Amino acid sequence: MSLTYFKRYRMEMRLEDFPRDVPALPDGYRCIPWDKSLLEHHAETKYRCFCYEVDANVFPCLGERDGCQRLMNEITRRDNFIPQATWLLEYASEGEIDYCGTIQGLRDQLGRGAIQNLGITPEHRGDGLGTALLVRALDGFREQGLTCATLEVTAQNSGALRLYQRFGFQVVKTVYKAAEVAFA
């Protein structure tokens, strides 16, 4: 094990600056609003989104099924959990259902919407699905009367960084997260 520091960006945007249009999803996809009966599907989807990504090194719970279950339980039990900003993405094909994306929203201590764990499973990336989930979460924040959204992203996650910048998120702070990483 070796101690490694991961560069992360805190990003922020004013919700009035983002377009209100909800993008159409490709055929077979559907965004499902939060319902507590979906908690295990969110957790399993979160695991599948992050288990082989750099963020599983930064936050080891993302690389473990049990860790993702604990994280979802913790997020959804908080007083500042925003169900309207929490979505699950479903893909249906030939009678099979695949949950392939997830996002959660919280209200932070400064009254901003805080994006948590936006993820799309690897086999479903590149079709604008992250955009669709992000728009729904930001709409959920606005529905709650929030005027600003914030998030943190690992600097190495260039795809997520591009998505957030395209929406108008701006880096407000650079932070470093120390993590123990096993090298093979």
Side-chain angles (χ1 to χ4, degrees):
M1 293 289 244
S2 173
L3 187 63
T4 303
Y5 290 90
F6 292 93
K7 185 177 186 178
R8 292 180 51 82
Y9 298 124
R10 286 196 185 138
M11 301 182 81
E12 203 172 280
M13 73 170 287
R14 297 206 44 79
L15 292 174
E16 65 193 25
D17 297 338
F18 113 89
R20 296 181 184 271
D21 297 333
V22 176
L25 291 168
D27 288 343
Y29 290 94
R30 172 173 83 109
C31 285
I32 304 169
W34 169 253
D35 184 277
K36 65 182 175 180
S37 68
L38 298 170
L39 189 137
E40 289 187 19
H41 294 300
H42 275 274
E44 176 63 20
T45 303
K46 183 188 304 298
Y47 169 74
R48 291 179 42 234
C49 291
F50 291 103
C51 66
Y52 299 113
E53 303 300 327
V54 68
D55 284 336
N57 288 317
V58 181
F59 302 101
C61 67
L62 294 175
E64 304 167 354
R65 280 188 165 88
D66 288 346
C68 289
Q69 182 74 38
R70 283 190 310 272
L71 183 58
M72 279 304 302
N73 281 321
E74 179 185 313
I75 288 170
T76 59
R77 288 181 180 151
R78 293 177 68 170
D79 290 340
N80 60 340
F81 173 62
I82 301 179
Q84 299 85 345
T86 301
W87 294 84
L88 185 65
L89 185 65
E90 172 189 275
Y91 177 67
S93 175
E94 300 176 10
E96 297 290 319
I97 292 178
D98 180 20
Y99 296 107
C100 57
T102 182
I103 190 170
Q104 299 86 54
L106 297 171
R107 180 187 322 262
D108 75 6
Q109 293 175 333
L110 299 176
R112 302 173 297 191
I115 296 291
Q116 306 290 300
N117 310 305
L118 168 57
I120 303 295
T121 58
E123 63 274 17
H124 292 275
R125 293 178 185 158
D127 290 326
L129 303 173
T131 298
L133 285 177
L134 183 58
V135 166
R136 283 163 176 82
L138 295 175
D139 275 343
F141 292 151
R142 277 204 297 228
E143 186 180 312
Q144 291 299 298
L146 305 180
T147 59
C148 189
T150 187
L151 57 85
E152 275 195 18
V153 61
T154 303
Q156 291 171 264
N157 191 343
S158 58
L161 194 53
R162 280 192 310 275
L163 169 64
Y164 300 139
Q165 288 171 332
R166 206 171 52 242
F167 265 77
F169 279 91
Q170 299 201 354
V171 174
V172 295
K173 188 173 186 177
T174 301
V175 296
Y176 292 88
K177 170 85 167 88
E180 290 283 335
V181 177
F183 290 102

